[in-house]
Amino acid sequence: MRIAPPAPVFDANASAGGALGDLPEWDLSDLYAAPDAPEIARDMDWLEQECTAFAADFEGKLAGLDAVGMLACVERYEAIDRVAGRIMSYAGLRYYQNTMDASRAKFLSDCQDRITAATTPLVFFSLEFNRIADSAYEAVITADPALTRYKPVFDRMRAMRPYQLSDELEKFLHDQSVVGASAWNKLFDETVAGLGFEVGDEALGIEGTLNLLTDPDRTKREAAARALAEVFGANIKLFARVHNTLAKEKEIEDRWRKMPTPQTGRHLSNHVEPEVVEALRNAVVAAYPKLSHRYYALKAKWLGLDKLQVWDRNAPLPIEEPKTVGWDAAKATVMEAYSEFSPKMAEIAQPFFDKGWIDAGVKPGKAPGAFAHPTVTDVHPYVMLNYLGKPRDVMTLAHELGHGVHQVLAAGQGELLASTPLTLAETASVFGEMLTFRKLLAGATTPAQKKTLLAGKVEDMINTVVRQIAFYDFECKLHEARRGGELTPEDINEIWMSVQGESLGPVFEFMPGYETFWAYVPHFVHSPFYVYAYAFGDGLVNALYAVYEESGPGFQDKYFDMLKAGGSKHHKELLAPFGLDASDPAFWDKGLSMISGFIDELEAMED
């Protein structure tokens, strides 16, 4: 049940200033016209009444329902989920437009409080459903095709059977959630959005400061990195408190549920086997020397440095001409790449630009980074960017628009089946990036242009694969260490540094203060262990793109069928039409070989 707002995702590649053109803003009226719109009061009242009625009609009776009765029950549950999701999408998106606006924060909290209270009577549903005997479940769920289509949802729900608590404890956790993790999430969001950084003569927010890490001027990059370190250091006790509290809360709940590892809940929600994730993680870590270590050694050579500092990691190449990409040019680039793959893909993407489905500009108080939120299946997704004209911002647009296309296509599955596990949710976004990159590369007219594009893509892939697996290792170590007691800021700093040197390689030196750079990463707070989904998606898309290059015209239809499936199929079923299998350890080596191949090309340019 949707009682939490959409979570923002950082992309540290926005830039500052420039004549970017007319940047679009969200029109949220497709959800509700205003926070005081009568439709919100109407829907909230209906929600409260329907949740009570649902419990009265079905609590204690699920095991005795026939297929007709069970279908009616599921459809009513789905309708409740849709209305709750609509309200929380509106409140959450409006809040992320300006997290420093107290009235927006209050509106979000009030909605969350009321919906949490309203949906408490529904807690029985999953608990009671999971107590239905396997034979009875199979008999009823397969008796009617209209009900059978929901089987993937309930199979995933029943995977939680070994870990569910008593009805009373589950209701307590549901009620308590508004002052638990979600409250700490809001504290984190508001703290990060309110941070100020003095860089030279400029007073910047976090987006503008992170953007300077890609500036051609090395002194500006260094000044930005040191400003980040100073401000993170000044707030490190608060960030450590957030992480300590959330990790301990998770440890307590996992212990009560008898979850074997801190990662188990994420694997279950992602519908992915632990051994598949472990194979991915091991393949990436084993590839560090031929990926990040090798690439950054090349980059040091290009920059004329014996050692790289952290502010050099995303520096442009010396041969790269500073470039600001206006909004219209960014739109044209992405839409042309999408259209060349399939006119249908561009057709699905077009309304995002025309109908107020994108909020692109950087504004005071706006959540940093970028995300695509599907809202509910009878409305449409919304995309948030912090667009400031860097070439990498074009790739972010391609990425988030890919999510949006995926979400539009999956909406046909309905509210319970549209949501895609995180491991597959990155497929369309990374594929959209790859299409855009390949179009730009094909249009390169000089060796310098090709080298710049290849280097930029390799850096993006390293950030998506190597960096995110390093993040995953950091989280694994953090949660394991927290089980042994309270962690000081220095303890967390030490865990962070233990994965940074390993992943980035021996060419890096780390300035004093870099040990605090874990503090601003929102995934650790909002979605523990989310980050491996990025590496999963990148590896999957690399393999998928190789199939596309070798396939005939039928690939597009199979690709759209995969996106339309939403969360209705396991990754094995979705990838089988392409001859791919993510449970095969060799699968990940195929994906990583594409990154290695790009680095081979860059090395060849040195000869």
Side-chain angles (χ1 to χ4, degrees):
M1 191 58 56
R2 243 84 66 78
I3 58 173
V9 178
F10 273 101
D11 268 329
N13 55 7
S15 63
L20 301 175
D22 188 14
L23 296 177
E25 294 190 351
W26 279 335
D27 176 1
L28 298 179
S29 62
D30 287 343
L31 292 165
Y32 295 102
D36 59 355
E39 290 81 5
I40 293 182
R42 176 202 68 195
D43 287 354
M44 194 72 84
D45 290 344
W46 178 88
L47 194 67
E48 290 169 341
Q49 295 164 12
E50 177 61 9
C51 289
T52 300
F54 182 91
D57 291 343
F58 296 111
E59 189 166 11
K61 305 169 187 174
L62 292 184
L65 293 177
D66 61 12
V68 173
M70 184 64 78
L71 180 61
C73 172
V74 171
E75 287 175 342
R76 282 179 63 181
Y77 187 89
E78 190 168 38
I80 290 169
D81 195 43
R82 189 163 52 247
V83 173
R86 190 185 195 108
I87 294 170
M88 288 311 303
S89 291
Y90 177 73
L93 293 174
R94 188 171 171 272
Y95 168 72
Y96 286 130
Q97 283 183 300
N98 187 353
T99 63
M100 303 308 291
D101 183 335
S103 66
R104 293 179 187 231
K106 173 179 165 54
F107 180 73
L108 172 61
S109 292
D110 288 348
C111 287
Q112 203 160 18
D113 289 350
R114 280 193 70 181
I115 288 178
T116 299
T119 56
T120 296
L122 303 184
V123 172
F124 84 90
F125 180 76
S126 61
L127 303 175
E128 190 175 317
F129 196 98
N130 283 353
R131 287 196 290 266
I132 298 173
D134 286 342
S135 58
Y137 164 68
E138 290 293 336
V140 73
I141 205 75
T142 57
D144 181 344
L147 184 59
T148 304
R149 66 181 297 271
Y150 290 98
K151 190 174 186 295
V153 176
F154 296 120
D155 284 349
R156 287 197 288 272
M157 189 168 76
R158 287 169 72 82
M160 281 294 295
R161 279 189 299 170
Y163 312 113
Q164 71 184 36
L165 304 174
S166 69
D167 292 12
E168 291 78 12
L169 274 174
E170 294 287 359
K171 287 178 180 177
F172 168 76
L173 289 173
H174 178 88
D175 278 353
Q176 186 259 356
S177 65
V178 294
V179 293
S182 67
W184 289 96
N185 284 184
K186 278 185 276 191
L187 173 63
F188 173 86
D189 290 339
E190 290 165 11
T191 300
V192 170
L195 293 177
F197 303 84
E198 298 292 331
V199 186
D201 297 331
E202 290 188 277
L204 300 171
I206 193 164
E207 280 291 346
T209 309
L210 289 168
N211 160 68
L212 287 177
L213 295 178
T214 64
D215 196 276
D217 185 338
R218 193 169 191 241
T219 60
K220 288 184 179 179
R221 298 198 305 270
E222 178 179 356
R226 296 196 184 281
L228 290 165
E230 181 181 355
V231 174
F232 294 158
N235 291 273
I236 203 66
K237 288 185 178 179
L238 187 150
F239 288 120
R241 173 58 49 221
V242 170
H243 282 68
N244 266 293
T245 303
L246 289 173
K248 183 62 178 177
E249 181 188 58
K250 188 177 191 315
E251 185 272 324
I252 292 169
E253 185 170 333
D254 285 351
R255 176 159 34 89
W256 277 77
R257 293 190 184 281
K258 297 182 171 58
M259 293 271 187
T261 72
Q263 301 87 354
T264 298
R266 177 62 62 201
H267 298 336
L268 287 169
S269 68
N270 282 346
H271 204 204
V272 65
E273 301 76 14
E275 57 270 22
V276 172
V277 178
E278 188 67 10
L280 164 64
R281 182 263 171 201
N282 291 343
V284 174
V285 171
Y288 284 170
K290 69 176 182 180
L291 299 181
S292 49
H293 297 188
R294 186 161 63 115
Y295 173 75
Y296 288 126
L298 264 180
K299 186 162 190 176
K301 181 179 175 182
W302 296 333
L303 295 175
L305 300 169
D306 293 326
K307 288 286 187 179
L308 293 181
Q309 301 292 338
V310 294
W311 54 81
D312 299 316
R313 186 171 62 85
N314 287 320
L317 303 191
I319 60 171
E320 185 175 344
E321 296 181 7
K323 181 180 180 183
T324 298
V325 184
W327 178 253
D328 288 344
K331 172 187 171 183
T333 298
V334 175
M335 290 294 285
E336 286 170 16
Y338 277 24
S339 183
E340 287 172 11
F341 173 72
S342 168
K344 178 181 177 181
M345 195 170 184
E347 182 182 332
I348 296 168
Q350 189 64 46
F352 284 84
F353 296 96
D354 297 341
K355 296 186 176 181
W357 300 3
I358 299 176
D359 196 301
V362 175
K363 291 164 277 191
K366 182 177 175 181
F371 64 78
H373 178 55
T375 72
V376 287
T377 54
D378 57 352
V379 186
H380 55 76
Y382 284 92
V383 163
M384 194 196 84
L385 306 170
N386 278 275
Y387 187 86
L388 285 159
K390 288 279 186 169
R392 278 180 173 159
D393 293 346
V394 181
M395 303 306 290
T396 301
L397 171 60
H399 181 102
E400 301 304 339
L401 202 59
H403 277 308
V405 168
H406 193 174
Q407 291 159 358
V408 168
L409 286 166
Q413 293 290 340
E415 207 61 38
L416 296 182
L417 283 162
S419 180
T420 307
L422 293 177
T423 42
L424 297 169
E426 293 300 323
T427 305
S429 55
V430 179
F431 197 84
E433 278 192 75
M434 183 64 79
L435 291 172
T436 304
F437 164 70
R438 291 290 188 176
K439 176 174 178 54
L440 292 170
L441 190 65
T445 57
T446 67
Q449 287 178 353
K450 184 177 181 181
K451 182 176 181 178
T452 299
L453 285 166
L454 273 173
K457 185 59 178 173
V458 168
E459 290 192 14
D460 287 344
M461 295 170 104
I462 287 174
N463 284 338
T464 303
V465 177
V466 170
R467 185 166 166 81
Q468 301 304 325
I469 290 300
F471 281 1
Y472 177 65
D473 278 356
F474 166 74
E475 287 191 274
C476 292
K477 291 183 176 184
L478 175 75
H479 284 262
E480 183 60 33
R482 183 64 181 90
R483 291 185 173 207
E486 176 89 5
L487 300 175
T488 66
E490 292 73 24
D491 292 332
I492 304 176
N493 293 348
E494 186 177 336
I495 294 170
W496 173 256
M497 294 307 297
S498 75
V499 301
Q500 290 302 301
E502 179 189 20
S503 63
L504 293 177
V507 77
F508 271 91
E509 287 181 344
F510 298 102
M511 69 171 187
Y514 181 67
E515 66 274 7
T516 65
F517 274 46
W518 54 268
Y520 78 96
V521 182
H523 304 81
F524 305 152
V525 174
H526 287 289
S527 306
F529 306 108
Y530 178 110
V531 289
Y532 73 73
Y534 288 114
F536 193 110
D538 197 274
L540 190 158
V541 166
N542 289 345
L544 196 63
Y545 199 88
V547 174
Y548 166 53
E549 290 186 311
E550 298 164 2
S551 296
F555 180 92
Q556 282 83 344
D557 289 339
K558 288 193 288 186
Y559 179 74
F560 287 128
D561 285 344
M562 178 177 67
L563 300 189
K564 287 176 186 174
S568 68
K569 294 182 179 180
H570 187 267
H571 61 79
K572 269 185 173 291
E573 291 179 86
L574 289 173
L575 293 177
F578 304 97
L580 299 172
D581 182 1
S583 64
D584 178 0
F587 172 85
W588 301 112
D589 292 327
K590 292 177 187 175
L592 295 173
S593 68
M594 179 177 284
I595 310 175
S596 184
F598 286 158
I599 301 173
D600 290 343
E601 288 189 57
L602 288 168
E603 284 183 333
M605 291 180 182
E606 297 299 292
D607 298 336

